[in-house]
């Protein structure tokens, strides 16, 4: 399997988000205190949206990290 992840953290707000991609399409997410992204991510996962489309929907954040 070709699973890649990207994570974003908001230290002050104590929020965390990890997104899981398979072959460039989102297949799952793990959220801690990120209620604002829940509905949008659920829809993107259901549609198996491409990484580029996910980036367009979610707000950018200066603390983003890819792995």
């Amino acid at each position: 399997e070709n699973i890649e992840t990207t994570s974003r953290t908001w230290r002050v707000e104590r929020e965390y988000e990890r997104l899981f991609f398979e072959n460039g399409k989102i297949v799952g997410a793990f959220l801690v205190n990120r209620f604002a992204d829940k509905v949008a991510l659920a829809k993107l996962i259901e549609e198996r949206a491409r990484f580029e489309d996910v980036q367009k929907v979610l707000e950018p954040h200066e603390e983003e990290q890819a792995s």
Side-chain angles (χ1 to χ4, degrees), residues 2-4 20-27 48-54:
N2 186 17
I3 301 288
E4 296 181 39
F20 299 87
F21 295 86
E22 181 177 22
N23 299 319
K25 296 181 180 180
I26 191 166
V27 294
R48 293 185 57 96
R50 297 189 50 75
F51 180 78
E52 297 81 15
D53 297 327
V54 173

Side-chain angles (χ1 to χ4, degrees), residues 3-59:
I3 301 288
E4 296 181 39
T5 68
T6 185
S7 63
R8 307 182 325 155
T9 58
W10 294 261
R11 286 183 175 86
V12 174
E13 297 88 351
R14 298 183 142 192
E15 298 174 344
Y16 175 81
E17 180 172 272
R18 177 163 285 206
L19 309 178
F20 299 87
F21 295 86
E22 181 177 22
N23 299 319
K25 296 181 180 180
I26 191 166
V27 294
F30 177 76
L31 308 174
V32 175
N33 296 328
R34 286 298 300 164
F35 306 108
D37 291 344
K38 183 179 175 182
V39 174
L41 279 170
K43 183 176 180 184
L44 291 166
I45 292 167
E46 184 177 310
E47 296 171 351
R48 293 185 57 96
R50 297 189 50 75
F51 180 78
E52 297 81 15
D53 297 327
V54 173
Q55 285 184 308
K56 291 176 189 174
V57 172
L58 299 179
E59 66 182 60

